Amino acid sequence: MPYKAEYIWIDGAEPTQKLRSKTKIIEDGVDPPIWGFDGSSTNQATGENSDCVLRPVYEVPDPIRGGANKLVLCEVLLTSMKPHPSNKRAALVATAKKYAKHEPWFGIEQEYTFFDGLKPLGWPDNGFPAPQFGYYCGVGSDEIFGREIVEAHSDACIAAGIQIAGTNAEVMPGQWEFQIGPVGPVEVSDQLWVARWLLYRIAEDFDVSATLNPKPVSGDWNGAGAHTNFSTKETRQSYEYVERAAKALGPKHDLHIKNYGAGIERRLTGAHETASYTKFSYGVSHRGASVRIPWQVAVDRKGYIEDRRPNANMDPYTVVRLVTDTICSTFE
Ligand code: ADP
Ligand code: MN
Ligand code: MN
Ligand code: MN
Protein backbone atom coordinates (compact mmCIF):
# COMPACT_ATOMS: atom_id res chain seq x y z
CA MET A 1 0.00 0.00 0.00
CA PRO A 2 1.29 3.53 -0.74
CA TYR A 3 2.20 5.78 2.19
CA LYS A 4 1.92 9.52 2.83
CA ALA A 5 5.04 11.68 3.07
CA GLU A 6 4.50 15.13 4.51
CA TYR A 7 7.16 17.32 2.83
CA ILE A 8 8.05 20.17 5.21
CA TRP A 9 10.10 23.21 4.19
CA ILE A 10 10.96 26.73 5.30
CA ASP A 11 9.55 29.55 3.18
CA GLY A 12 10.84 33.00 2.24
CA ALA A 13 8.67 35.08 4.58
CA GLU A 14 10.37 38.21 5.96
CA PRO A 15 11.54 39.04 8.54
CA THR A 16 10.71 35.60 10.01
CA GLN A 17 10.59 32.47 7.84
CA LYS A 18 7.58 30.19 8.25
CA LEU A 19 6.99 26.47 7.89
CA ARG A 20 5.06 25.05 4.94
CA SER A 21 4.14 21.47 4.08
CA LYS A 22 2.27 19.36 1.56
CA THR A 23 1.55 15.68 1.12
CA LYS A 24 2.97 13.26 -1.43
CA ILE A 25 1.59 9.74 -1.85
CA ILE A 26 4.50 7.37 -2.46
CA GLU A 27 4.58 3.71 -3.50
CA ASP A 28 5.42 1.18 -0.82
CA GLY A 29 9.18 0.62 -0.56
CA VAL A 30 10.11 3.81 -2.45
CA ASP A 31 12.10 6.54 -0.65
CA PRO A 32 10.80 10.15 -0.77
CA PRO A 33 12.21 11.63 -4.00
CA ILE A 34 13.17 15.20 -4.84
CA TRP A 35 9.99 17.25 -5.34
CA GLY A 36 9.00 20.86 -6.06
CA PHE A 37 6.59 23.67 -5.22
CA ASP A 38 5.31 27.04 -6.37
CA GLY A 39 7.83 29.52 -4.99
CA SER A 40 5.74 32.49 -6.14
CA SER A 41 3.33 31.71 -3.28
CA THR A 42 6.04 31.57 -0.59
CA ASN A 43 8.17 34.64 -1.41
CA GLN A 44 10.80 32.35 -2.94
CA ALA A 45 10.27 32.96 -6.68
CA THR A 46 8.49 35.14 -9.23
CA GLY A 47 5.40 34.01 -11.17
CA GLU A 48 7.29 33.77 -14.49
CA ASN A 49 9.93 31.49 -13.00
CA SER A 50 8.08 29.92 -10.11
CA ASP A 51 9.52 26.43 -9.57
CA CYS A 52 11.60 25.71 -6.48
CA VAL A 53 13.12 22.33 -5.61
CA LEU A 54 12.57 20.35 -2.38
CA ARG A 55 15.41 18.04 -1.42
CA PRO A 56 14.75 15.69 1.53
CA VAL A 57 17.35 16.12 4.31
CA TYR A 58 15.78 14.61 7.46
CA GLU A 59 13.08 11.94 7.60
CA VAL A 60 11.19 10.60 10.61
CA PRO A 61 8.17 8.32 11.09
CA ASP A 62 4.99 10.43 11.08
CA PRO A 63 3.66 10.20 14.66
CA ILE A 64 0.31 11.74 13.70
CA ARG A 65 -0.63 9.57 10.74
CA GLY A 66 1.26 6.54 12.08
CA GLY A 67 1.83 3.40 10.00
CA ALA A 68 4.46 3.69 7.26
CA ASN A 69 3.81 7.43 6.84
CA LYS A 70 6.71 9.88 7.14
CA LEU A 71 7.59 13.49 7.87
CA VAL A 72 10.21 14.67 5.39
CA LEU A 73 12.06 17.89 6.20
CA CYS A 74 13.49 19.38 3.00
CA GLU A 75 15.93 22.08 2.02
CA VAL A 76 14.94 24.46 -0.76
CA LEU A 77 17.09 24.57 -3.90
CA LEU A 78 16.98 26.60 -7.09
CA THR A 79 16.34 24.59 -10.27
CA SER A 80 20.13 24.74 -10.81
CA MET A 81 20.25 22.54 -7.65
CA LYS A 82 22.19 25.25 -5.80
CA PRO A 83 20.88 26.37 -2.37
CA HIS A 84 18.06 28.92 -2.62
CA PRO A 85 18.91 32.27 -0.92
CA SER A 86 16.29 31.44 1.76
CA ASN A 87 18.08 28.14 2.51
CA LYS A 88 20.11 28.82 5.67
CA ARG A 89 20.85 25.15 6.25
CA ALA A 90 23.50 24.82 3.54
CA ALA A 91 25.82 27.32 5.27
CA LEU A 92 25.36 25.56 8.62
CA VAL A 93 26.31 22.20 7.07
CA ALA A 94 29.57 23.78 5.84
CA THR A 95 30.34 25.35 9.25
CA ALA A 96 29.55 22.12 11.11
CA LYS A 97 31.93 20.23 8.82
CA LYS A 98 34.67 22.83 9.24
CA TYR A 99 34.60 22.58 13.05
CA ALA A 100 33.61 18.90 13.42
CA LYS A 101 36.84 18.09 15.24
CA HIS A 102 35.65 20.19 18.21
CA GLU A 103 32.52 17.99 18.45
CA PRO A 104 30.02 20.82 19.08
CA TRP A 105 26.75 19.90 20.83
CA PHE A 106 23.66 22.05 21.19
CA GLY A 107 20.61 21.94 23.44
CA ILE A 108 17.90 24.47 22.53
CA GLU A 109 15.09 25.55 24.88
CA GLN A 110 12.16 26.51 22.67
CA GLU A 111 9.67 28.78 24.42
CA TYR A 112 6.28 29.46 22.80
CA THR A 113 2.80 30.77 23.60
CA PHE A 114 -0.59 29.23 22.90
CA PHE A 115 -3.23 31.60 21.55
CA ASP A 116 -6.99 31.16 21.59
CA GLY A 117 -8.01 33.66 18.91
CA LEU A 118 -6.52 37.04 19.82
CA LYS A 119 -5.56 36.28 23.43
CA PRO A 120 -3.14 33.87 25.07
CA LEU A 121 -4.82 30.59 26.01
CA GLY A 122 -6.50 30.80 29.42
CA TRP A 123 -6.53 34.61 29.58
CA PRO A 124 -9.81 36.34 30.47
CA ASP A 125 -11.83 38.01 27.70
CA ASN A 126 -11.34 41.35 29.39
CA GLY A 127 -8.30 42.48 31.31
CA PHE A 128 -5.44 40.35 32.54
CA PRO A 129 -4.82 37.24 34.64
CA ALA A 130 -3.22 37.53 38.09
CA PRO A 131 0.38 38.84 37.84
CA GLN A 132 3.23 36.43 37.06
CA PHE A 133 4.31 34.19 39.89
CA GLY A 134 2.57 30.81 40.21
CA TYR A 135 2.53 29.84 36.56
CA TYR A 136 6.15 28.71 36.02
CA CYS A 137 6.16 24.91 36.46
CA GLY A 138 2.73 25.29 38.09
CA VAL A 139 -0.05 22.77 38.54
CA GLY A 140 -3.83 23.22 38.63
CA SER A 141 -6.46 24.47 36.22
CA ASP A 142 -6.24 28.03 37.58
CA GLU A 143 -2.59 28.26 36.49
CA ILE A 144 -2.06 25.81 33.63
CA PHE A 145 -3.53 26.19 30.16
CA GLY A 146 -2.89 23.73 27.32
CA ARG A 147 -1.18 20.85 29.11
CA GLU A 148 -3.08 18.30 26.99
CA ILE A 149 -1.49 19.82 23.87
CA VAL A 150 1.98 19.81 25.45
CA GLU A 151 1.60 16.11 26.35
CA ALA A 152 0.43 15.20 22.84
CA HIS A 153 3.35 17.16 21.38
CA SER A 154 6.06 15.57 23.51
CA ASP A 155 4.62 12.09 22.84
CA ALA A 156 4.73 12.85 19.11
CA CYS A 157 8.35 14.05 19.30
CA ILE A 158 9.38 10.88 21.13
CA ALA A 159 7.56 8.67 18.61
CA ALA A 160 9.28 10.52 15.76
CA GLY A 161 12.71 9.89 17.30
CA ILE A 162 13.34 13.59 17.97
CA GLN A 163 15.67 14.04 20.95
CA ILE A 164 13.29 16.08 23.09
CA ALA A 165 14.86 16.59 26.53
CA GLY A 166 11.93 17.95 28.54
CA THR A 167 9.01 20.38 28.79
CA ASN A 168 7.85 22.97 31.32
CA ALA A 169 5.14 25.58 31.85
CA GLU A 170 6.62 29.08 31.64
CA VAL A 171 6.41 32.30 33.66
CA MET A 172 3.58 33.86 31.63
CA PRO A 173 0.27 31.94 31.68
CA GLY A 174 -0.29 30.11 28.36
CA GLN A 175 3.46 30.06 27.72
CA TRP A 176 5.46 26.81 27.57
CA GLU A 177 8.88 25.40 26.69
CA PHE A 178 10.35 22.24 25.26
CA GLN A 179 14.03 21.41 24.91
CA ILE A 180 15.85 19.54 22.14
CA GLY A 181 19.33 18.06 22.59
CA PRO A 182 22.12 17.91 23.30
CA VAL A 183 22.99 16.82 19.75
CA GLY A 184 25.14 18.10 16.88
CA PRO A 185 24.61 21.43 15.09
CA VAL A 186 22.72 20.21 12.02
CA GLU A 187 20.77 17.60 14.00
CA VAL A 188 19.51 20.04 16.64
CA SER A 189 18.38 22.49 13.96
CA ASP A 190 16.58 19.93 11.77
CA GLN A 191 14.94 18.40 14.85
CA LEU A 192 13.83 21.79 16.17
CA TRP A 193 12.17 22.72 12.87
CA VAL A 194 10.28 19.40 12.77
CA ALA A 195 9.33 19.75 16.46
CA ARG A 196 7.96 23.24 15.69
CA TRP A 197 5.94 21.82 12.79
CA LEU A 198 4.53 19.12 15.08
CA LEU A 199 3.60 21.75 17.66
CA TYR A 200 1.62 23.85 15.17
CA ARG A 201 0.03 20.76 13.64
CA ILE A 202 -1.03 19.17 16.94
CA ALA A 203 -2.36 22.46 18.37
CA GLU A 204 -4.51 22.71 15.21
CA ASP A 205 -6.51 19.69 16.44
CA PHE A 206 -7.25 21.59 19.68
CA ASP A 207 -8.34 24.77 17.82
CA VAL A 208 -5.40 26.54 19.42
CA SER A 209 -2.52 28.28 17.65
CA ALA A 210 1.05 28.16 18.88
CA THR A 211 3.20 31.24 18.28
CA LEU A 212 6.91 31.97 18.58
CA ASN A 213 6.28 35.72 19.00
CA PRO A 214 9.19 36.92 21.18
CA LYS A 215 7.02 39.37 23.15
CA PRO A 216 3.43 38.22 22.74
CA VAL A 217 2.07 40.57 25.43
CA SER A 218 3.77 43.89 26.09
CA GLY A 219 4.18 45.21 29.59
CA ASP A 220 5.02 43.21 32.70
CA TRP A 221 4.89 39.77 31.04
CA ASN A 222 7.86 37.60 30.11
CA GLY A 223 8.87 37.33 26.47
CA ALA A 224 9.63 34.04 24.71
CA GLY A 225 13.21 33.02 23.98
CA ALA A 226 15.21 30.12 22.65
CA HIS A 227 18.14 29.76 25.06
CA THR A 228 20.91 28.02 23.14
CA ASN A 229 23.16 25.75 25.21
CA PHE A 230 26.53 24.93 23.71
CA SER A 231 29.53 22.74 24.44
CA THR A 232 32.53 21.31 22.64
CA LYS A 233 34.91 18.45 23.37
CA GLU A 234 37.13 21.06 25.09
CA THR A 235 34.46 22.67 27.31
CA ARG A 236 33.22 19.23 28.35
CA GLN A 237 36.71 18.60 29.74
CA SER A 238 37.97 21.95 31.01
CA TYR A 239 36.53 25.04 32.72
CA GLU A 240 39.17 27.20 31.05
CA TYR A 241 37.44 26.47 27.75
CA VAL A 242 33.98 27.12 29.26
CA GLU A 243 35.16 30.65 30.13
CA ARG A 244 36.88 31.06 26.78
CA ALA A 245 33.61 30.11 25.03
CA ALA A 246 31.61 32.69 27.00
CA LYS A 247 34.21 35.41 26.39
CA ALA A 248 34.49 34.67 22.66
CA LEU A 249 30.86 35.75 22.16
CA GLY A 250 31.51 39.30 23.46
CA PRO A 251 33.29 40.88 20.46
CA LYS A 252 30.63 39.49 18.07
CA HIS A 253 27.64 40.62 20.18
CA ASP A 254 26.09 42.97 17.58
CA LEU A 255 26.37 40.44 14.76
CA HIS A 256 24.66 37.79 16.90
CA ILE A 257 21.90 40.14 18.10
CA LYS A 258 21.13 41.12 14.51
CA ASN A 259 20.64 37.44 13.62
CA TYR A 260 18.88 36.16 16.76
CA GLY A 261 15.29 36.80 15.64
CA ALA A 262 13.11 39.73 14.58
CA GLY A 263 11.89 41.97 17.39
CA ILE A 264 14.77 41.08 19.73
CA GLU A 265 14.91 44.68 21.05
CA ARG A 266 11.37 44.29 22.42
CA ARG A 267 12.38 41.18 24.37
CA LEU A 268 15.96 41.89 25.55
CA THR A 269 15.05 44.92 27.64
CA GLY A 270 17.12 44.11 30.71
CA ALA A 271 13.95 43.14 32.64
CA HIS A 272 12.11 39.78 32.82
CA GLU A 273 15.23 37.58 33.14
CA THR A 274 16.99 39.17 30.16
CA ALA A 275 20.10 41.29 29.62
CA SER A 276 19.76 44.43 27.48
CA TYR A 277 20.49 43.80 23.81
CA THR A 278 22.81 46.81 23.88
CA LYS A 279 25.46 45.24 26.11
CA PHE A 280 27.14 41.82 26.34
CA SER A 281 27.67 40.17 29.72
CA TYR A 282 28.23 36.71 31.16
CA GLY A 283 28.14 35.22 34.60
CA VAL A 284 27.79 32.07 36.67
CA SER A 285 24.14 31.31 37.50
CA HIS A 286 23.15 34.77 36.20
CA ARG A 287 19.75 34.90 34.48
CA GLY A 288 20.14 38.63 33.88
CA ALA A 289 23.28 38.08 31.77
CA SER A 290 23.53 37.55 27.99
CA VAL A 291 25.35 34.27 28.63
CA ARG A 292 24.97 32.11 31.72
CA ILE A 293 27.38 29.49 33.00
CA PRO A 294 25.11 27.10 34.94
CA TRP A 295 26.17 26.71 38.60
CA GLN A 296 26.61 22.96 38.16
CA VAL A 297 29.15 23.66 35.39
CA ALA A 298 31.10 25.97 37.70
CA VAL A 299 31.04 23.24 40.40
CA ASP A 300 32.05 20.44 37.99
CA ARG A 301 34.71 22.67 36.35
CA LYS A 302 33.51 21.55 32.91
CA GLY A 303 30.36 21.46 30.78
CA TYR A 304 28.48 24.00 28.66
CA ILE A 305 27.35 27.62 28.40
CA GLU A 306 23.85 29.01 27.86
CA ASP A 307 23.40 31.81 25.32
CA ARG A 308 20.18 33.41 26.63
CA ARG A 309 19.87 35.96 23.84
CA PRO A 310 18.13 34.14 20.95
CA ASN A 311 14.45 34.90 20.47
CA ALA A 312 11.81 32.17 20.30
CA ASN A 313 11.35 33.06 16.61
CA MET A 314 15.04 32.62 15.72
CA ASP A 315 16.22 30.43 12.86
CA PRO A 316 18.26 27.61 14.43
CA TYR A 317 20.30 27.14 11.23
CA THR A 318 21.56 30.72 11.58
CA VAL A 319 21.96 30.88 15.38
CA VAL A 320 23.73 27.52 15.59
CA ARG A 321 26.06 28.44 12.71
CA LEU A 322 27.03 31.76 14.35
CA VAL A 323 27.65 30.24 17.78
CA THR A 324 29.73 27.41 16.29
CA ASP A 325 31.75 29.77 14.11
CA THR A 326 32.32 32.49 16.72
CA ILE A 327 33.44 30.10 19.47
CA CYS A 328 35.19 27.32 17.56
CA SER A 329 37.25 29.79 15.50
CA THR A 330 38.88 30.90 18.79
CA PHE A 331 39.62 27.26 19.74
CA GLU A 332 41.65 26.55 16.58
P1 ADP B 1 17.25 26.06 32.18
O1 ADP B 1 15.78 26.25 32.03
O2 ADP B 1 17.69 25.95 33.61
O3 ADP B 1 18.04 27.10 31.44
P2 ADP B 1 16.86 23.53 30.70
O4 ADP B 1 16.86 22.30 31.48
O5 ADP B 1 15.56 24.04 30.20
O6 ADP B 1 17.67 24.65 31.53
O7 ADP B 1 17.77 23.36 29.41
C1 ADP B 1 19.09 22.94 29.49
C2 ADP B 1 19.51 22.50 28.11
O8 ADP B 1 20.92 22.28 28.12
C3 ADP B 1 18.88 21.23 27.62
O9 ADP B 1 18.31 21.48 26.35
C4 ADP B 1 20.05 20.26 27.47
O10 ADP B 1 19.89 19.47 26.32
C5 ADP B 1 21.21 21.22 27.26
N1 ADP B 1 22.51 20.64 27.59
C6 ADP B 1 22.85 19.88 28.67
N2 ADP B 1 24.15 19.52 28.59
C7 ADP B 1 24.65 20.07 27.46
C8 ADP B 1 25.92 20.07 26.83
N3 ADP B 1 26.99 19.42 27.35
N4 ADP B 1 26.07 20.74 25.66
C9 ADP B 1 25.05 21.41 25.13
N5 ADP B 1 23.82 21.45 25.67
C10 ADP B 1 23.61 20.80 26.83
MN1 MN C 1 14.60 25.92 30.32
MN1 MN D 1 12.44 28.98 29.82
MN1 MN E 1 17.43 28.49 29.96
Side-chain angles (χ1 to χ4, degrees), residues 109 168 170 177 179 227:
E109 304 168 52
N168 61 269
E170 268 303 338
E177 168 179 319
Q179 306 100 29
H227 298 165

Side-chain angles (χ1 to χ4, degrees), residues 227-307:
H227 298 165
T228 298
N229 299 273
F230 173 78
S231 67
T232 65
K233 190 175 69 179
E234 296 86 355
T235 70
R236 292 189 292 271
Q237 286 164 5
S238 134
Y239 196 68
E240 182 208 327
Y241 277 89
V242 171
E243 289 193 306
R244 279 177 60 174
K247 278 197 190 113
L249 292 167
K252 295 278 178 70
H253 182 64
D254 293 347
L255 172 71
H256 283 242
I257 289 290
K258 218 186 308 161
N259 288 283
Y260 274 13
I264 198 161
E265 303 83 3
R266 284 189 289 127
R267 175 176 149 262
L268 296 187
T269 57
H272 305 110
E273 301 178 51
T274 70
S276 166
Y277 71 92
T278 59
K279 193 172 159 288
F280 178 82
S281 60
Y282 75 92
V284 173
S285 224
H286 198 328
R287 285 174 199 266
S290 316
V291 170
R292 166 177 152 257
I293 299 173
W295 69 270
Q296 190 67 51
V297 173
V299 170
D300 294 345
R301 310 303 292 168
K302 61 184 180 184
Y304 63 98
I305 61 167
E306 177 191 44
D307 188 344

Side-chain angles (χ1 to χ4, degrees), residues 12-74:
E14 290 171 355
T16 302
Q17 293 176 272
K18 269 166 41 83
L19 284 161
R20 309 274 180 149
S21 76
K22 58 175 183 165
T23 309
K24 187 172 187 60
I25 313 296
I26 302 178
E27 284 307 316
D28 184 26
V30 175
D31 286 333
I34 281 180
W35 201 18
F37 68 98
D38 166 18
S40 70
S41 298
T42 61
N43 199 31
Q44 282 163 307
T46 56
E48 314 84 73
N49 189 9
S50 67
D51 286 322
C52 289
V53 175
L54 291 174
R55 176 155 70 192
V57 291
Y58 173 57
E59 295 175 20
V60 295
D62 182 341
I64 297 172
R65 289 176 170 145
N69 302 304
K70 293 180 185 178
L71 302 180
V72 181
L73 181 71
C74 298

